Amino acid sequence: MSSKQLLFGTGGIPRSTKGTSSVLGIKRIRELDLDCMELEFVQGVRMSENGAKNVLEAAIKEEVALSVHAPYYINLNSYEEEKLKASLERIYQAARIGSLCGAESIVLHAGFYQKSSKKQTFESVSKALRILTRQLQDEGIPAVLRPETMGKRTQFGTLEEVLELSAEIEGVMPCIDFCHLHAREGKENSYQEFTKILSRVEECLGKEGLSNMHMHISGVEYGKNGEKKHLNLKESDFNYPILMKTLKEFKTRGRVIIESPILEQDALMLKQLYNEI
């Protein structure tokens, strides 16, 4: 991946793909002149090692950068030993198969506060991620775990929480989901606020934080408890033109993964908007 640019792509295979395989999705990304794609392992890691090799070959041939979204059924703050073990195993498998596909970034939803304090939850998540990064390192799996900023207030994943984990643990970097940050409090939607977010990334993680960003963007419907559902960008109140302007000013590099219902249409719109600034 060139660090001289910002890459735009889709969360999952484009809607216009003729078929449902990741390989066909990668070819479609290239046809559309997009740059990257997130492999959605959200219902479980169902890809074989052989399948992963085919995906890797397609990604290299088409010059499409890949990342992975780990399964949703994860809670690194679970009080039940079995559930915690299962969560660790799901992230590990996503990283193992993902790296065979050539994907380095493994996005994950870390968990829920439940009855714990924010501090206790942070400690549980931090401990689990340390175990995982050590295991991946020991096995020579070149994966970066990316806890995502989350859109519901019951979920672990404020901007500060993911930045603190990333600053503390080698092999952990943030996935900044801007619509989740917006939905969580109904704020984070102006030039000043976007500037503040990117400044915090740089403060906590240095220049590398801005040159190796992984972002999710979509429209979002939200209420008093935060995120309800994703919307197409033009049907939402999300201020994406100003976000593109701010990303350009900060010279951010890395990937923008679009998660709106009309995946590639919004991805192409954002790419064009960004390039015209």
Tab-separated table of all heavy atoms in Angstrom, residues 184-235:
chain	number	residue	atom	x	y	z
A	184	ARG	N	-22.798	8.438	18.819
A	184	ARG	CA	-22.671	8.154	20.257
A	184	ARG	C	-23.211	9.308	21.107
A	184	ARG	O	-23.911	9.093	22.086
A	184	ARG	CB	-21.202	7.882	20.590
A	184	ARG	CG	-21.005	7.168	21.907
A	184	ARG	CD	-19.547	6.783	22.118
A	184	ARG	NE	-19.353	6.155	23.411
A	184	ARG	CZ	-19.116	4.864	23.609
A	184	ARG	NH1	-19.035	4.044	22.581
A	184	ARG	NH2	-18.962	4.380	24.824
A	185	GLU	N	-22.863	10.539	20.714
A	185	GLU	CA	-23.308	11.708	21.496
A	185	GLU	C	-24.108	12.704	20.654
A	185	GLU	O	-24.526	13.745	21.155
A	185	GLU	CB	-22.092	12.441	22.089
A	185	GLU	CG	-21.198	11.593	22.990
A	185	GLU	CD	-21.855	11.212	24.305
A	185	GLU	OE1	-22.842	11.870	24.696
A	185	GLU	OE2	-21.387	10.246	24.941
A	186	GLY	N	-24.263	12.403	19.348
A	186	GLY	CA	-24.946	13.356	18.466
A	186	GLY	C	-24.079	14.560	18.119
A	186	GLY	O	-24.561	15.558	17.583
A	187	LYS	N	-22.773	14.468	18.437
A	187	LYS	CA	-21.847	15.582	18.131
A	187	LYS	C	-20.850	15.113	17.078
A	187	LYS	O	-21.207	14.386	16.177
A	187	LYS	CB	-21.109	16.005	19.411
A	187	LYS	CG	-22.021	16.462	20.542
A	187	LYS	CD	-21.203	16.710	21.801
A	187	LYS	CE	-22.114	16.961	23.003
A	187	LYS	NZ	-21.351	16.823	24.257
A	188	GLU	N	-19.584	15.562	17.200
A	188	GLU	CA	-18.495	15.133	16.303
A	188	GLU	C	-18.919	15.209	14.833
A	188	GLU	O	-18.877	14.242	14.101
A	188	GLU	CB	-18.051	13.684	16.628
A	188	GLU	CG	-17.902	13.337	18.086
A	188	GLU	CD	-16.866	14.174	18.829
A	188	GLU	OE1	-16.267	15.087	18.219
A	188	GLU	OE2	-16.649	13.928	20.025
A	189	ASN	N	-19.317	16.427	14.407
A	189	ASN	CA	-19.842	16.548	13.042
A	189	ASN	C	-19.495	17.896	12.424
A	189	ASN	O	-20.142	18.317	11.475
A	189	ASN	CB	-21.362	16.348	13.069
A	189	ASN	CG	-21.930	15.982	11.722
A	189	ASN	OD1	-21.260	15.364	10.895
A	189	ASN	ND2	-23.178	16.361	11.478
A	190	SER	N	-18.475	18.557	12.976
A	190	SER	CA	-18.103	19.880	12.467
A	190	SER	C	-16.607	19.934	12.187
A	190	SER	O	-15.857	19.050	12.623
A	190	SER	CB	-18.441	20.951	13.510
A	190	SER	OG	-17.606	20.761	14.653
A	191	TYR	N	-16.184	20.964	11.485
A	191	TYR	CA	-14.766	21.146	11.173
A	191	TYR	C	-13.925	21.164	12.461
A	191	TYR	O	-12.903	20.488	12.552
A	191	TYR	CB	-14.568	22.443	10.381
A	191	TYR	CG	-13.124	22.753	10.096
A	191	TYR	CD1	-12.398	21.977	9.181
A	191	TYR	CD2	-12.469	23.801	10.743
A	191	TYR	CE1	-11.058	22.243	8.914
A	191	TYR	CE2	-11.134	24.075	10.481
A	191	TYR	CZ	-10.436	23.293	9.576
A	191	TYR	OH	-9.107	23.550	9.319
A	192	GLN	N	-14.402	21.911	13.474
A	192	GLN	CA	-13.665	22.009	14.743
A	192	GLN	C	-13.531	20.636	15.404
A	192	GLN	O	-12.470	20.267	15.904
A	192	GLN	CB	-14.383	22.967	15.723
A	192	GLN	CG	-14.255	24.443	15.401
A	192	GLN	CD	-15.117	24.880	14.213
A	192	GLN	OE1	-16.040	24.176	13.807
A	192	GLN	NE2	-14.800	26.036	13.655
A	193	GLU	N	-14.624	19.879	15.380
A	193	GLU	CA	-14.614	18.566	16.037
A	193	GLU	C	-13.756	17.558	15.276
A	193	GLU	O	-13.011	16.791	15.881
A	193	GLU	CB	-16.055	18.053	16.196
A	193	GLU	CG	-16.821	18.833	17.261
A	193	GLU	CD	-18.323	18.604	17.197
A	193	GLU	OE1	-18.906	18.607	16.096
A	193	GLU	OE2	-18.932	18.423	18.257
A	194	PHE	N	-13.839	17.565	13.943
A	194	PHE	CA	-12.984	16.657	13.150
A	194	PHE	C	-11.507	16.996	13.356
A	194	PHE	O	-10.656	16.112	13.454
A	194	PHE	CB	-13.337	16.733	11.662
A	194	PHE	CG	-14.718	16.230	11.313
A	194	PHE	CD1	-15.460	16.822	10.295
A	194	PHE	CD2	-15.285	15.145	11.997
A	194	PHE	CE1	-16.726	16.358	9.962
A	194	PHE	CE2	-16.555	14.676	11.672
A	194	PHE	CZ	-17.279	15.292	10.655
A	195	THR	N	-11.232	18.293	13.422
A	195	THR	CA	-9.849	18.750	13.663
A	195	THR	C	-9.354	18.248	15.014
A	195	THR	O	-8.222	17.776	15.144
A	195	THR	CB	-9.789	20.300	13.624
A	195	THR	OG1	-10.191	20.730	12.327
A	195	THR	CG2	-8.391	20.815	13.902
A	196	LYS	N	-10.231	18.314	15.998
A	196	LYS	CA	-9.878	17.874	17.350
A	196	LYS	C	-9.597	16.367	17.377
A	196	LYS	O	-8.636	15.905	18.019
A	196	LYS	CB	-11.028	18.222	18.306
A	196	LYS	CG	-10.629	18.269	19.762
A	196	LYS	CD	-11.773	18.800	20.612
A	196	LYS	CE	-11.581	18.380	22.063
A	196	LYS	NZ	-12.782	18.606	22.872
A	197	ILE	N	-10.416	15.596	16.664
A	197	ILE	CA	-10.223	14.135	16.606
A	197	ILE	C	-8.855	13.809	16.006
A	197	ILE	O	-8.075	13.036	16.567
A	197	ILE	CB	-11.348	13.460	15.778
A	197	ILE	CG1	-12.683	13.534	16.527
A	197	ILE	CG2	-10.999	11.996	15.476
A	197	ILE	CD1	-13.912	13.195	15.675
A	198	LEU	N	-8.555	14.415	14.849
A	198	LEU	CA	-7.291	14.108	14.170
A	198	LEU	C	-6.089	14.621	14.962
A	198	LEU	O	-5.031	13.989	14.973
A	198	LEU	CB	-7.305	14.684	12.746
A	198	LEU	CG	-8.343	14.035	11.814
A	198	LEU	CD1	-8.399	14.756	10.473
A	198	LEU	CD2	-8.073	12.552	11.603
A	199	SER	N	-6.261	15.733	15.654
A	199	SER	CA	-5.186	16.250	16.520
A	199	SER	C	-4.908	15.284	17.669
A	199	SER	O	-3.759	15.069	18.047
A	199	SER	CB	-5.555	17.628	17.084
A	199	SER	OG	-5.744	18.547	16.029
A	200	ARG	N	-5.984	14.696	18.224
A	200	ARG	CA	-5.815	13.717	19.311
A	200	ARG	C	-5.080	12.473	18.814
A	200	ARG	O	-4.240	11.906	19.511
A	200	ARG	CB	-7.180	13.300	19.882
A	200	ARG	CG	-7.788	14.270	20.859
A	200	ARG	CD	-6.922	14.529	22.074
A	200	ARG	NE	-6.818	13.390	22.984
A	200	ARG	CZ	-5.771	13.163	23.788
A	200	ARG	NH1	-4.733	13.976	23.775
A	200	ARG	NH2	-5.767	12.120	24.597
A	201	VAL	N	-5.405	12.025	17.590
A	201	VAL	CA	-4.718	10.867	17.009
A	201	VAL	C	-3.222	11.165	16.942
A	201	VAL	O	-2.392	10.346	17.347
A	201	VAL	CB	-5.272	10.537	15.595
A	201	VAL	CG1	-4.416	9.479	14.915
A	201	VAL	CG2	-6.727	10.060	15.696
A	202	GLU	N	-2.882	12.357	16.464
A	202	GLU	CA	-1.463	12.714	16.328
A	202	GLU	C	-0.790	12.854	17.698
A	202	GLU	O	0.338	12.404	17.893
A	202	GLU	CB	-1.316	14.014	15.528
A	202	GLU	CG	0.132	14.308	15.195
A	202	GLU	CD	0.306	15.471	14.232
A	202	GLU	OE1	-0.663	16.197	13.970
A	202	GLU	OE2	1.438	15.645	13.756
A	203	GLU	N	-1.499	13.447	18.646
A	203	GLU	CA	-0.935	13.599	20.005
A	203	GLU	C	-0.618	12.243	20.628
A	203	GLU	O	0.423	12.055	21.249
A	203	GLU	CB	-1.947	14.303	20.927
A	203	GLU	CG	-1.893	15.806	20.884
A	203	GLU	CD	-3.108	16.401	21.606
A	203	GLU	OE1	-3.516	15.843	22.655
A	203	GLU	OE2	-3.654	17.409	21.115
A	204	CYS	N	-1.553	11.308	20.480
A	204	CYS	CA	-1.402	9.996	21.135
A	204	CYS	C	-0.463	9.058	20.389
A	204	CYS	O	0.239	8.269	21.004
A	204	CYS	CB	-2.753	9.315	21.281
A	204	CYS	SG	-3.867	10.191	22.382
A	205	LEU	N	-0.482	9.127	19.049
A	205	LEU	CA	0.224	8.110	18.255
A	205	LEU	C	1.292	8.693	17.329
A	205	LEU	O	1.908	7.956	16.559
A	205	LEU	CB	-0.796	7.312	17.422
A	205	LEU	CG	-1.943	6.681	18.215
A	205	LEU	CD1	-2.944	6.043	17.285
A	205	LEU	CD2	-1.428	5.659	19.232
A	206	GLY	N	1.493	10.004	17.412
A	206	GLY	CA	2.521	10.634	16.581
A	206	GLY	C	2.120	10.678	15.114
A	206	GLY	O	0.974	10.416	14.752
A	207	LYS	N	3.096	11.006	14.269
A	207	LYS	CA	2.838	11.113	12.827
A	207	LYS	C	2.323	9.794	12.256
A	207	LYS	O	1.527	9.773	11.320
A	207	LYS	CB	4.116	11.528	12.087
A	207	LYS	CG	4.453	13.005	12.221
A	207	LYS	CD	3.664	13.838	11.216
A	207	LYS	CE	3.960	15.333	11.376
A	207	LYS	NZ	2.759	16.118	11.659
A	208	GLU	N	2.796	8.668	12.814
A	208	GLU	CA	2.366	7.361	12.307
A	208	GLU	C	0.858	7.185	12.466
A	208	GLU	O	0.211	6.526	11.660
A	208	GLU	CB	3.103	6.220	13.026
A	208	GLU	CG	3.010	4.913	12.249
A	208	GLU	CD	2.926	3.660	13.109
A	208	GLU	OE1	3.294	3.721	14.307
A	208	GLU	OE2	2.477	2.627	12.593
A	209	GLY	N	0.321	7.766	13.508
A	209	GLY	CA	-1.120	7.693	13.723
A	209	GLY	C	-1.897	8.233	12.541
A	209	GLY	O	-2.916	7.667	12.142
A	210	LEU	N	-1.405	9.337	11.954
A	210	LEU	CA	-2.092	9.953	10.816
A	210	LEU	C	-1.718	9.328	9.481
A	210	LEU	O	-2.474	9.405	8.520
A	210	LEU	CB	-1.794	11.460	10.772
A	210	LEU	CG	-2.363	12.295	11.918
A	210	LEU	CD1	-1.943	13.751	11.770
A	210	LEU	CD2	-3.887	12.205	11.987
A	211	SER	N	-0.535	8.702	9.408
A	211	SER	CA	-0.103	8.129	8.126
A	211	SER	C	-0.535	6.671	7.986
A	211	SER	O	-0.363	6.061	6.937
A	211	SER	CB	1.415	8.229	7.983
A	211	SER	OG	2.043	7.419	8.952
A	212	ASN	N	-1.117	6.113	9.062
A	212	ASN	CA	-1.550	4.714	9.021
A	212	ASN	C	-2.949	4.614	9.632
A	212	ASN	O	-3.195	3.880	10.568
A	212	ASN	CB	-0.542	3.850	9.794
A	212	ASN	CG	-0.891	2.373	9.773
A	212	ASN	OD1	-1.740	1.933	9.005
A	212	ASN	ND2	-0.257	1.609	10.639
A	213	MET	N	-3.879	5.416	9.060
A	213	MET	CA	-5.231	5.453	9.624
A	213	MET	C	-6.129	4.407	8.977
A	213	MET	O	-5.967	4.077	7.809
A	213	MET	CB	-5.846	6.838	9.434
A	213	MET	CG	-5.289	7.852	10.423
A	213	MET	SD	-6.273	9.366	10.472
A	213	MET	CE	-7.683	8.850	11.458
A	214	HIS	N	-7.056	3.914	9.774
A	214	HIS	CA	-8.076	3.016	9.246
A	214	HIS	C	-9.399	3.605	9.685
A	214	HIS	O	-9.665	3.735	10.881
A	214	HIS	CB	-7.904	1.601	9.815
A	214	HIS	CG	-8.671	0.582	9.045
A	214	HIS	ND1	-8.148	-0.083	7.966
A	214	HIS	CD2	-9.953	0.127	9.173
A	214	HIS	CE1	-9.059	-0.917	7.469
A	214	HIS	NE2	-10.163	-0.799	8.191
A	215	MET	N	-10.211	4.003	8.709
A	215	MET	CA	-11.442	4.727	9.027
A	215	MET	C	-12.666	4.047	8.431
A	215	MET	O	-12.594	3.479	7.352
A	215	MET	CB	-11.350	6.155	8.470
A	215	MET	CG	-10.243	6.968	9.098
A	215	MET	SD	-9.934	8.520	8.196
A	215	MET	CE	-8.655	7.992	7.055
A	216	HIS	N	-13.771	4.130	9.156
A	216	HIS	CA	-15.071	3.699	8.633
A	216	HIS	C	-15.940	4.945	8.518
A	216	HIS	O	-15.944	5.784	9.421
A	216	HIS	CB	-15.751	2.721	9.586
A	216	HIS	CG	-15.185	1.343	9.546
A	216	HIS	ND1	-15.617	0.341	10.385
A	216	HIS	CD2	-14.234	0.781	8.766
A	216	HIS	CE1	-14.955	-0.783	10.117
A	216	HIS	NE2	-14.098	-0.532	9.145
A	217	ILE	N	-16.661	5.038	7.409
A	217	ILE	CA	-17.554	6.178	7.206
A	217	ILE	C	-18.868	5.682	6.621
A	217	ILE	O	-18.885	4.824	5.747
A	217	ILE	CB	-16.918	7.222	6.246
A	217	ILE	CG1	-15.663	7.838	6.876
A	217	ILE	CG2	-17.921	8.327	5.884
A	217	ILE	CD1	-14.899	8.787	5.968
A	218	SER	N	-19.969	6.238	7.130
A	218	SER	CA	-21.272	6.023	6.500
A	218	SER	C	-22.216	7.060	7.091
A	218	SER	O	-21.851	7.787	8.008
A	218	SER	CB	-21.771	4.593	6.770
A	218	SER	OG	-22.740	4.570	7.772
A	219	GLY	N	-23.419	7.145	6.546
A	219	GLY	CA	-24.432	7.949	7.213
A	219	GLY	C	-24.932	7.155	8.406
A	219	GLY	O	-24.706	5.949	8.489
A	220	VAL	N	-25.617	7.824	9.329
A	220	VAL	CA	-26.077	7.080	10.504
A	220	VAL	C	-27.349	7.702	11.074
A	220	VAL	O	-27.510	8.921	11.100
A	220	VAL	CB	-24.961	7.014	11.584
A	220	VAL	CG1	-24.648	8.400	12.156
A	220	VAL	CG2	-25.307	6.040	12.703
A	221	GLU	N	-28.269	6.818	11.479
A	221	GLU	CA	-29.455	7.264	12.219
A	221	GLU	C	-29.179	6.975	13.682
A	221	GLU	O	-28.656	5.916	14.020
A	221	GLU	CB	-30.673	6.464	11.746
A	221	GLU	CG	-31.973	6.891	12.402
A	221	GLU	CD	-33.143	5.972	12.041
A	221	GLU	OE1	-33.212	5.510	10.884
A	221	GLU	OE2	-33.977	5.709	12.933
A	222	TYR	N	-29.498	7.936	14.554
A	222	TYR	CA	-29.181	7.742	15.974
A	222	TYR	C	-30.246	8.365	16.863
A	222	TYR	O	-31.051	9.179	16.425
A	222	TYR	CB	-27.807	8.353	16.300
A	222	TYR	CG	-27.680	9.819	15.918
A	222	TYR	CD1	-27.951	10.828	16.840
A	222	TYR	CD2	-27.299	10.197	14.627
A	222	TYR	CE1	-27.843	12.168	16.491
A	222	TYR	CE2	-27.193	11.528	14.263
A	222	TYR	CZ	-27.474	12.511	15.198
A	222	TYR	OH	-27.386	13.833	14.844
A	223	GLY	N	-30.252	7.935	18.104
A	223	GLY	CA	-31.199	8.455	19.087
A	223	GLY	C	-30.476	8.720	20.396
A	223	GLY	O	-29.249	8.820	20.426
A	224	LYS	N	-31.217	8.776	21.489
A	224	LYS	CA	-30.588	9.146	22.763
A	224	LYS	C	-29.578	8.110	23.267
A	224	LYS	O	-28.699	8.416	24.056
A	224	LYS	CB	-31.639	9.468	23.831
A	224	LYS	CG	-32.514	8.295	24.268
A	224	LYS	CD	-33.502	8.750	25.337
A	224	LYS	CE	-34.178	7.594	26.042
A	224	LYS	NZ	-34.939	6.690	25.135
A	225	ASN	N	-29.704	6.853	22.813
A	225	ASN	CA	-28.745	5.824	23.238
A	225	ASN	C	-27.627	5.599	22.214
A	225	ASN	O	-26.825	4.685	22.351
A	225	ASN	CB	-29.468	4.500	23.501
A	225	ASN	CG	-30.477	4.637	24.630
A	225	ASN	OD1	-30.193	5.293	25.627
A	225	ASN	ND2	-31.652	4.062	24.460
A	226	GLY	N	-27.631	6.435	21.166
A	226	GLY	CA	-26.582	6.303	20.160
A	226	GLY	C	-27.089	5.729	18.851
A	226	GLY	O	-28.249	5.935	18.468
A	227	GLU	N	-26.223	4.967	18.206
A	227	GLU	CA	-26.468	4.474	16.848
A	227	GLU	C	-27.698	3.573	16.739
A	227	GLU	O	-27.924	2.700	17.569
A	227	GLU	CB	-25.224	3.676	16.400
A	227	GLU	CG	-25.368	3.013	15.058
A	227	GLU	CD	-24.273	1.978	14.796
A	227	GLU	OE1	-23.707	1.427	15.754
A	227	GLU	OE2	-24.006	1.723	13.625
A	228	LYS	N	-28.487	3.781	15.690
A	228	LYS	CA	-29.609	2.877	15.376
A	228	LYS	C	-29.286	2.069	14.132
A	228	LYS	O	-29.357	0.855	14.145
A	228	LYS	CB	-30.895	3.680	15.171
A	228	LYS	CG	-31.471	4.258	16.456
A	228	LYS	CD	-32.783	4.969	16.186
A	228	LYS	CE	-33.440	5.455	17.461
A	228	LYS	NZ	-34.682	6.219	17.179
A	229	LYS	N	-28.960	2.754	13.020
A	229	LYS	CA	-28.602	2.014	11.800
A	229	LYS	C	-27.826	2.902	10.837
A	229	LYS	O	-27.873	4.139	10.935
A	229	LYS	CB	-29.853	1.457	11.117
A	229	LYS	CG	-30.800	2.509	10.582
A	229	LYS	CD	-31.949	1.872	9.813
A	229	LYS	CE	-32.830	2.966	9.183
A	229	LYS	NZ	-33.991	2.423	8.488
A	230	HIS	N	-27.152	2.265	9.890
A	230	HIS	CA	-26.397	2.992	8.873
A	230	HIS	C	-27.338	3.516	7.792
A	230	HIS	O	-28.329	2.874	7.453
A	230	HIS	CB	-25.346	2.080	8.233
A	230	HIS	CG	-24.180	1.813	9.126
A	230	HIS	ND1	-23.047	1.171	8.696
A	230	HIS	CD2	-23.951	2.099	10.426
A	230	HIS	CE1	-22.179	1.080	9.692
A	230	HIS	NE2	-22.730	1.623	10.752
A	231	LEU	N	-26.995	4.687	7.252
A	231	LEU	CA	-27.767	5.295	6.170
A	231	LEU	C	-26.826	5.638	5.020
A	231	LEU	O	-25.608	5.725	5.207
A	231	LEU	CB	-28.415	6.609	6.650
A	231	LEU	CG	-29.388	6.567	7.831
A	231	LEU	CD1	-29.742	7.987	8.255
A	231	LEU	CD2	-30.657	5.802	7.456
A	232	ASN	N	-27.397	5.875	3.837
A	232	ASN	CA	-26.596	6.409	2.746
A	232	ASN	C	-26.155	7.821	3.127
A	232	ASN	O	-26.884	8.533	3.825
A	232	ASN	CB	-27.409	6.440	1.452
A	232	ASN	CG	-27.852	5.045	1.030
A	232	ASN	OD1	-27.202	4.054	1.379
A	232	ASN	ND2	-28.955	4.953	0.314
A	233	LEU	N	-24.978	8.206	2.701
A	233	LEU	CA	-24.417	9.497	3.133
A	233	LEU	C	-25.352	10.668	2.857
A	233	LEU	O	-25.567	11.513	3.719
A	233	LEU	CB	-23.056	9.723	2.482
A	233	LEU	CG	-21.917	8.900	3.104
A	233	LEU	CD1	-20.668	8.951	2.234
A	233	LEU	CD2	-21.598	9.379	4.518
A	234	LYS	N	-25.921	10.712	1.653
A	234	LYS	CA	-26.761	11.866	1.286
A	234	LYS	C	-28.094	11.894	2.030
A	234	LYS	O	-28.771	12.914	2.043
A	234	LYS	CB	-26.998	11.892	-0.228
A	234	LYS	CG	-25.759	12.351	-0.988
A	234	LYS	CD	-25.995	12.428	-2.488
A	234	LYS	CE	-24.757	13.010	-3.179
A	234	LYS	NZ	-24.816	12.861	-4.647
A	235	GLU	N	-28.470	10.769	2.640
A	235	GLU	CA	-29.737	10.722	3.393
A	235	GLU	C	-29.516	10.973	4.881
A	235	GLU	O	-30.430	10.836	5.691
A	235	GLU	CB	-30.401	9.346	3.204
A	235	GLU	CG	-30.934	9.133	1.801
A	235	GLU	CD	-31.213	7.669	1.495
A	235	GLU	OE1	-31.276	6.856	2.451
A	235	GLU	OE2	-31.355	7.337	0.306
